[in-house]
Amino acid sequence: MADADSSGEQTGAVELVDVVKMFGDFTAVDRINLSVRPGEFISLLGPSGCGKTTTLRMLAGFEEPTSGELRISGQPIAGTPPHKRDVNTVFQAYALFPHMSVAENVAYGLRQKSVGKADMALRVAEALDMVKMRPLADRRPRQLSGGQQQRVALARALVNRPSLLLLDEPLGALDRKLREEMQIELKLLQSQLGITFIFVTHDQEEALSMSDRIAVMLDGRIEQLGDPYTIYEHPASAFVAGFIGQQNFFRGRALEGGAGIEANGSTLTSSRPADSLAVGSDALAAVRPEAISVSETDPGAAVNVLRGQLAGISHLGDVIQFVVSTGGGREILARLPRTKAPRLETGQTVWCSWAADHTYLFTAEQADLVLADPASDKAEVLAGN
Amino acid sequence: MTTDTVETADPGSAAPAPGKPAKRRRARSPKFLLAIPAWTWFILFFALPVGLVLLYSLGEQVSTFVQKPNVSPSVWSLDNFGKAFDPAYAPIFWRTLRISITGTFICLVISVPFAYWLATKVSPKWRGLLLGLVLVPFWTNFLVRTIGWQLILAPNGFVSQKLQDIGITSGDLALLYTQTGVQIGVVYNYLPLMILPLYVAFERIDPALTEASKDLGANRLKTFVQVTMPLAVPGAIAGMLLVFIPLMGDYITASLLGGAKGSMAGVLVAEQFLNTFNWSRGAAMAVIMIGFILAALAVFAGIGLVLRAIVRARRRVSLPEAVA
Ligand SMILES: Nc1ncnc2c1ncn2[C@@H]1O[C@H](COP(=O)(O)OP(=O)(O)O)[C@@H](O)[C@H]1O
Ligand SMILES: [Mg+2]
C-alpha cells in the first residue's frame, strides 16, 4: 500500500489483514483478508452464522479481533473505542431511540460532536430530505412503518458523513417490493455520496444487484471475492456456485484433463477444464437451470444430453420452469424464456441439453454443502434462495 | 362446529340466511371476569378500610377506656382534624417527609448503579443469584430485621466497639434512637423495592440502542445520560413510589430505631390507636397523612414534568422551513 502521508487519498479505504475472531474456542471469523477501496460498495454475502455481523462489529468497534489487523482510511484502529471511529452503522433492527423524534434521532450524532444549533438543523433537514422523511420529522419511531424506520436509520448514520458506512442486513425486514425500491435508492445514494459501504446480506440477488464487489463468506472465511459478473460466471467453489443463483449438481468421476465427469452412465462435458481434478477423482459438475434447453426430440448435435420424463411445469412470468425426471429419483431443473419454451405435457419424454461451457467442475469437497444427499451420485438440484 | 361461516355444508342446519351476519352462539367471554379477584381484594382490603378510617375520623372518643369511637352521624365533626393539626405534631410530620424523601433519594442513588451493573454487565447466569441475594433480607421478618439493626447501631454494640478499636471513632456510636438511625434503617429495609423495578427497566433496554449511541459518537457516560437513563425512567418512578409511599407510613423502623428523636408520623398514629385509644384522632391523622402523601406526589409529579419539559426542549431540533 501507499506511504503513511497518503491517508487523504485513502479516506474510506478499509483493510482486514488475517483477522480472526474467536468466541471461547469457537472461531466466528477465520483469517479474513479483505481490502476495500474508497467509495466502494462491497457486500458480505453468506448464509446465517458465517460471521458477517461479527466482521462488521469489529469494524464498528463493538468487538476486538482475537488476532490480525484492521485499518480504516489507512489507520490501524485497534483499541479505538466505537465513539471515536469515523464509522457509522445501520443496525439490523434499526435501533432507533424510542424516546426521541425522528429529527432528534438524526441529530444525535451531530449533538455528540457539539455541532451548533443552526448548522445542526440544516444538516438534519438535508439528511431527512435525502431519504424523503422530512414531513415525518416530528414523529416517534414507533409511529413509523418498517421502511420509514429504515430510512431514518440511514439518515441518522449518513448525517455524520462517515468515511465508512456499515449496513447489517438493512433491508431484511422489508417486504419484497419495498426492498427492491430501497436497493435502488441505496445504491443511488451511495454513488452520489461516494462513501464506502460495507453491506451485509444473505440475499444473493440483493448482493448481485447492488455491489461493486461481493465477498462470499462461509464458516468465517471468504470463499470468493469478486465483482458480481465474476462471482456469477466464474464461481470459485461449488459452494459459491450453489449459493449464487440455482444449480443442478451432478456427482461423478473426473475425466482425463478435467474435461468433464462420468456420472451415472452419462458423460458430462465441460469446456472449463479444472486442472486440479485428478482423473477418476470424486467430482461435482454444476449446470444452471437457465443454461439447459428442453426439447421434445433428441437434439443430437448437443454436447451434453440427458433424457428424461417431464415431471412438472411452472409458469414464473416471463420464464417457464421444467422439472425433468431422469430416473432413480434424479431431477433436473431447467428454465427457459417463455418465447423459447416448447409446449410440453407432463409425463412426455424430453431431452435436456446444454453447451460444454455451461458445465462447471469442482472437487467433491463441498458435496455435503450443495447436495441434499451427498453419499449418492444422483443428479441433484440445489435450490438457492 | 362453526357458526361464523355462512357456507355450511349442511343445508338442514339452522344456517343463517345469506346476507345476514352469523349470530355468535357462544357469548363473548366477559373480560371483566379476569379482574374480579383484584377488584374483590381492592374493595375488601383497601376501599372498605379507608372508608372506615374516614368514618372514624368524623366520630368522637367515648372515653379513654373504650377503644371504639362513637361514629353516629349526630356527633360527626371535623374537630379531630383540628386537634391533629396541633403544632406540637408538626415537627414529626416534617421529619417524616424529610426521612422519606431522603430515604427515597438514597435508595435511588444506591440502586441506579447497582441495577445497571446487574442488568448490563453481569453475565446472565450470575444475575439470578445476585437478584436472589438482593432479596435475602425479605426472607426474614421485617420486625426481626429491624431489631437486628438495633444491635448494630447500639452504643455498646459490636460495630461501635470495632470502630473504637480501629480508632475511627473515639466514643460510643450515637445512632440508635436518632433520626440518622431511622434513616439507615429505612434505606436498608426499602432498598430492594427500588432495585427490582430499576433492574427490570435496565434489563429491558435493547443493547443495540446503547451500541447505536456509541456508534454515533457518544462515550459511555453520554450514552448513559442520553439513552439508558431516559429509557429507565419508568422503572425509577415505580421504584420511588414503591419506596416513598410505604416509607411515609412506616411504623416499625421508626418505633424500633427512632425513639423520641427519630419518631415518625406512623408512630404517632399508632399511639392514638394503641395507647390513648383515641381512634378518631388516629383516623384523622391517618387521613391527613394520606392527603399529605398525595400532595407530595403531586408536587413530585409537577417537578418531574418540568424536568421532562426542560430535557425535551434542550433536545428539540427545529428544522428550517422546507423549500416549497
Ligand atoms: N457474542 C458471541 N458469543 C458467542 N458466539 C457468538 C457471538 N456472536 C456471534 N457468535 C457466533 O459467531 C457466529 C457468527 O455470527 P454472526 O457474525 O452473527 O453471523 P452472521 O451475521 O453471518 O449470521 C455464529 O455462529 C454465532 O453464533
Ligand atoms: Mg448477522
Side-chain angles (χ1 to χ4, degrees):
Chain A
M1 286 290 330
D3 24 2
D5 63 1
S6 67
S7 66
E9 290 161 38
Q10 288 187 20
T11 300
V14 180
E15 258 185 290
L16 289 86
V17 183
D18 286 336
V19 172
V20 174
K21 178 66 191 178
M22 321 249 318
F23 293 110
D25 26 335
F26 175 77
T27 311
V29 170
D30 191 4
R31 289 178 76 86
I32 279 191
N33 284 283
L34 179 63
S35 171
V36 185
R37 296 186 277 266
E40 192 173 19
F41 192 125
I42 198 156
S43 288
L44 303 183
L45 172 66
S48 179
C50 71
K52 307 181 295 288
T53 297
T54 306
T55 307
L56 278 202
R57 290 174 60 80
M58 286 190 285
L59 286 167
F62 300 125
E63 306 281 0
E64 281 295 323
T66 308
S67 68
E69 189 170 91
L70 295 164
R71 283 192 288 268
I72 295 178
S73 302
Q75 301 298 314
I77 51 164
T80 309
H83 68 274
K84 290 194 178 144
R85 295 189 184 191
D86 187 15
V87 174
N88 285 113
T89 307
V90 176
F91 289 82
Q92 198 157 5
Y94 315 137
L96 298 177
F97 304 123
H99 58 300
M100 296 182 200
S101 71
V102 165
E104 288 161 6
N105 262 282
V106 176
Y108 192 87
L110 300 176
R111 175 160 290 130
Q112 310 315 317
K113 289 185 203 149
S114 308
V115 172
K117 271 241 156 188
D119 194 19
M120 180 189 295
L122 224 61
R123 282 173 69 177
V124 169
E126 188 187 64
L128 286 174
D129 278 336
M130 190 169 68
V131 295
K132 306 189 187 80
M133 284 296 291
R134 178 85 166 266
L136 302 182
D138 292 324
R139 292 243 188 125
R140 292 290 163 117
R142 66 171 171 276
Q143 299 169 307
L144 302 177
S145 71
Q148 291 167 339
Q149 289 185 29
Q150 207 278 325
R151 285 158 195 267
V152 176
L154 195 61
R156 183 178 71 173
L158 287 176
V159 75
N160 305 293
R161 297 172 194 154
S163 31
L164 170 63
L165 187 72
L166 307 173
L167 303 100
D168 194 354
E169 310 209 15
L171 309 180
L174 306 183
D175 61 52
R176 190 186 174 88
K177 189 165 169 291
L178 197 56
R179 197 164 66 221
E180 284 168 359
E181 275 172 32
M182 283 305 297
Q183 285 173 10
I184 295 168
E185 279 184 40
L186 208 54
K187 179 68 195 165
L188 209 65
L189 260 177
Q190 191 264 342
S191 48
Q192 283 166 3
L193 297 171
I195 292 175
T196 311
F197 273 35
I198 299 186
F199 184 93
V200 159
T201 179
H202 64 259
D203 180 339
Q204 45 102 9
E205 275 180 39
E206 196 165 282
L208 287 173
S209 74
M210 300 172 79
S211 320
D212 296 324
R213 284 192 300 161
I214 300 171
V216 184
M217 291 180 65
L218 175 66
D219 292 341
R221 285 171 291 106
I222 293 183
E223 279 277 302
Q224 187 173 7
L225 175 66
D227 59 78
Y229 179 86
T230 310
I231 296 274
Y232 195 89
E233 293 294 330
H234 305 283
S237 68
F239 168 75
V240 175
F243 198 76
I244 308 284
Q246 274 180 309
Q247 298 281 1
N248 293 292
F249 277 104
F250 304 87
R251 191 172 190 168
R253 308 265 143 226
L255 300 175
E256 174 108 35
I261 64 166
E262 169 84 40
N264 201 38
S266 318
T267 302
L268 306 181
T269 315
S270 172
S271 60
R272 300 166 175 270
D275 309 327
S276 55
L277 285 178
V279 179
S281 66
D282 196 4
L284 290 172
V287 186
R288 291 194 184 279
E290 55 268 33
I292 299 177
S293 299
V294 179
S295 57
E296 280 178 282
T297 51
D298 189 343
V303 187
N304 293 298
V305 182
L306 286 173
R307 201 182 64 168
Q309 240 74 42
L310 187 59
I313 306 174
S314 330
H315 295 267
L316 312 174
D318 46 2
V319 295
I320 295 182
Q321 177 173 291
F322 298 103
V323 180
V324 178
S325 167
T326 57
R330 291 176 288 261
E331 282 179 343
I332 294 177
L333 204 61
R335 237 177 265 144
L336 279 83
R338 180 171 290 278
T339 47
K340 298 215 177 110
R343 275 201 79 85
L344 300 170
E345 300 282 331
T346 47
Q348 80 181 95
T349 300
V350 292
W351 279 262
C352 295
S353 58
W354 66 92
D357 67 335
H358 289 306
T359 313
Y360 296 85
L361 298 178
F362 305 102
T363 64
E365 228 172 294
Q366 291 177 323
D368 47 347
L369 284 175
V370 298
L371 300 180
D373 184 7
S376 81
D377 63 350
K378 287 174 187 170
E380 291 279 352
V381 176
L382 178 95
N385 41 0
Chain B
M1 160 161 204
T2 77
T3 53
D4 287 342
T5 36
V6 177
E7 296 92 350
T8 162
D10 180 7
S13 78
K20 262 191 185 173
K23 245 190 192 166
R24 284 175 184 275
R25 190 167 296 170
R26 203 156 50 97
R28 200 180 259 269
S29 72
K31 295 205 173 58
F32 69 85
L33 276 178
L34 296 174
I36 280 188
W39 277 110
T40 313
W41 179 273
F42 176 79
I43 290 168
L44 278 181
F45 298 111
F46 181 76
L48 277 181
V50 168
L52 219 54
V53 168
L54 275 174
L55 186 65
Y56 284 175
S57 71
L58 297 174
E60 67 175 20
Q61 188 180 26
V62 179
S63 88
T64 39
F65 304 106
V66 181
Q67 297 199 0
K68 254 186 130 148
N70 177 5
V71 292
S72 66
S74 56
V75 301
W76 282 6
S77 81
L78 295 174
D79 284 359
N80 292 311
F81 289 92
K83 299 251 171 54
F85 267 121
D86 189 328
Y89 296 141
I92 297 188
F93 274 100
W94 287 120
R95 185 189 299 137
T96 305
L97 189 63
R98 200 162 54 231
I99 288 178
S100 300
I101 292 178
T102 315
T104 307
F105 185 72
I106 295 176
C107 282
L108 187 68
V109 168
I110 296 176
S111 301
V112 165
F114 178 77
Y116 175 71
W117 171 78
L118 189 58
T120 60
K121 310 285 177 207
V122 176
S123 85
K125 70 175 175 206
W126 292 109
R127 270 184 222 158
L129 180 71
L130 284 169
L131 265 184
L133 288 177
V134 166
L135 291 176
V136 159
F138 278 14
W139 298 354
T140 322
N141 179 287
F142 196 93
L143 186 62
V144 174
R145 276 186 280 154
T146 313
I147 291 173
W149 274 98
Q150 269 189 337
L151 302 179
I152 296 173
L153 298 175
N156 52 359
F158 73 96
V159 175
S160 176
Q161 208 57 55
K162 263 278 168 302
L163 287 175
Q164 288 176 65
D165 289 351
I166 305 169
I168 292 180
T169 53
S170 51
D172 281 349
L173 205 56
L175 286 175
L176 191 58
Y177 306 131
T178 66
Q179 196 179 318
T180 315
V182 177
Q183 197 71 71
I184 294 172
V186 296
V187 167
Y188 166 80
N189 274 336
Y190 291 94
L191 195 58
L193 294 176
M194 183 68 89
I195 291 177
L196 288 180
L198 269 173
Y199 166 78
V200 172
F202 283 126
E203 210 261 339
R204 281 178 45 180
I205 297 175
D206 182 356
L209 292 178
T210 48
E211 287 188 347
S213 167
K214 290 174 191 166
D215 189 75
L216 292 164
N219 60 23
R220 282 158 64 172
L221 182 66
K222 284 177 163 179
T223 297
F224 185 81
V225 172
Q226 297 176 87
V227 175
T228 312
M229 207 50 225
L231 292 174
V233 159
I237 290 178
M240 288 193 285
L241 291 177
L242 283 177
V243 171
F244 180 76
I245 296 173
L247 189 41
M248 283 291 282
D250 187 45
Y251 157 67
I252 291 180
T253 320
S255 60
L256 287 181
L257 304 178
K261 282 188 282 177
S263 184
M264 287 171 68
V267 181
L268 209 58
V269 175
E271 259 171 21
Q272 301 299 322
F273 280 89
L274 302 177
N275 297 344
T276 42
F277 292 148
N278 195 342
W279 284 22
S280 287
R281 171 102 46 97
M285 284 179 172
V287 171
I288 290 172
M289 279 309 291
I290 292 175
F292 209 55
I293 291 174
L294 290 178
L297 291 181
V299 170
F300 297 156
I303 295 173
L305 288 175
V306 168
L307 286 179
R308 189 175 72 165
I310 293 173
V311 168
R312 288 201 174 164
R314 289 194 44 185
R315 202 167 57 203
R316 178 161 303 128
V317 186
S318 29
L319 300 185
E321 283 299 308
V323 221

